[in-house]
Amino acid sequence: MTKNFTDITDITTVDLQAIIADAISMKAARAGLSKGAIDPDPALSGIMLAMIFEKSSTRTRISFDMAIRQLGGSSMVLSTNDMQLGRGESVADTALVLSRYVDAIMIRCNAHETLLELTNNADIPVINGLTDRSHPCQILADLMTLREHKGDLSRLKLAWVGDGNNVASSFLHAAPKFGFALSLGCPDKFAANEDDIGYAINAGAEITVTTDPKEAVLGADVVIADTFVSMGDVDAKQRLQVLAPYQVDAELMAGAADDAVFLHCLPAHRGEEVTAEVIDGSQSLVFDEAENRLHVQKAILKYCFDKI
Ligand code: CP
Ligand code: NVA
């Protein structure tokens, strides 16, 4: 059966833990190699990955491209604007055609339904490279980073501050799988998805929901921020106004644990969701986090081909 990487909810804890462990071990195995060198034990030789982008990307695009190359495979980067998909060809037909040419697809699209339609019609693995609903690859890179810096994830309290967006949803999906506590500090207007909160609570996760950012970060081991205006959001002015009190600054970080770390999936907007002092300060792990996109995506690709 084809293995997709659609959402964290679809994958067992054993497989998720294996993906992170494999990413950590592949990262160590490459020590000293140049970035363009193929892995000592390339797991996906001859595999062609098509990457489809309906919206912008720096990290996802480049880290997946390097990931498949280091694994011995190749990639092609496609923009929906340059495909017939951008002129109304159906997602289903696109899935069927691509399944005849390439071995796997990674897609970044606006509507989550597009990802699901692609997944339902392709007979090759499909990976979610971000939709309006979720960003699972990012969360595995974040959790890999926390495993490296903080150890056992099930002992941690994570605090999400700001917009309850797609990235927040993937943290909600991950909370019951990894056993960490998650506290959400978001305004009512931009609260996290109710279904995802319900999913996490029903699956046994310790979830706290508050509109007070100070309450959210109290004693937290990890404070997480993301942009106030995600790709596709049309209400930028209102968002910047309503979310302004949710900026992560040194004062807010002081309410977290003394050894708390700061995460942000990037791109960041210094002076909006986070101050330069925090994101460029000693508690910030954002560039380790960005690097780990590469290592974790190699493990995600291997998972899709049963190579872990
Ligand atoms: N964090 C992330 O997904 O970055 P890009 O939008 O640059 O891919
Ligand atoms: N929430 C952001 C994440 C970008 C990586 C967005 O969807 O634009």
Side-chain angles (χ1 to χ4, degrees), residues 4-7 49-57 60-61 64 76-81 83 85-86 89-92 94-95 98 102 104-122 124-138 166 231 293 297 300-301 304:
N4 299 307
F5 187 81
T6 315
D7 262 321
L49 172 70
M51 296 194 272
I52 304 176
F53 288 93
E54 202 174 6
K55 40 193 183 183
S56 311
S57 169
T60 305
R61 172 183 167 150
F64 261 109
M76 60 177 76
V77 181
L78 308 159
S79 147
T80 47
N81 288 334
M83 297 171 72
L85 195 54
E89 184 168 17
S90 74
V91 176
T94 305
L98 262 67
V102 301
I105 303 171
M106 192 284 298
I107 184 164
R108 167 168 288 192
C109 50
N110 291 309
H112 196 72
E113 289 66 33
T114 305
L115 166 75
L116 299 181
E117 206 181 332
L118 196 68
T119 309
N120 289 337
N121 289 282
I124 53 176
V126 175
I127 297 171
N128 176 356
L130 180 148
T131 71
D132 60 347
R133 287 289 320 282
S134 58
H135 196 4
C137 294
Q138 180 68 54
N166 47 358
M231 292 178 279
R293 293 292 304 277
Q297 278 152 199
I300 290 169
L301 284 161
C304 289

Side-chain angles (χ1 to χ4, degrees), residues 129-150:
L130 180 148
T131 71
D132 60 347
R133 287 289 320 282
S134 58
H135 196 4
C137 294
Q138 180 68 54
I139 270 47
L140 288 198
D142 295 3
L143 296 177
M144 172 183 172
T145 310
L146 294 177
R147 171 72 54 76
E148 291 175 326
H149 288 267
K150 291 275 180 195

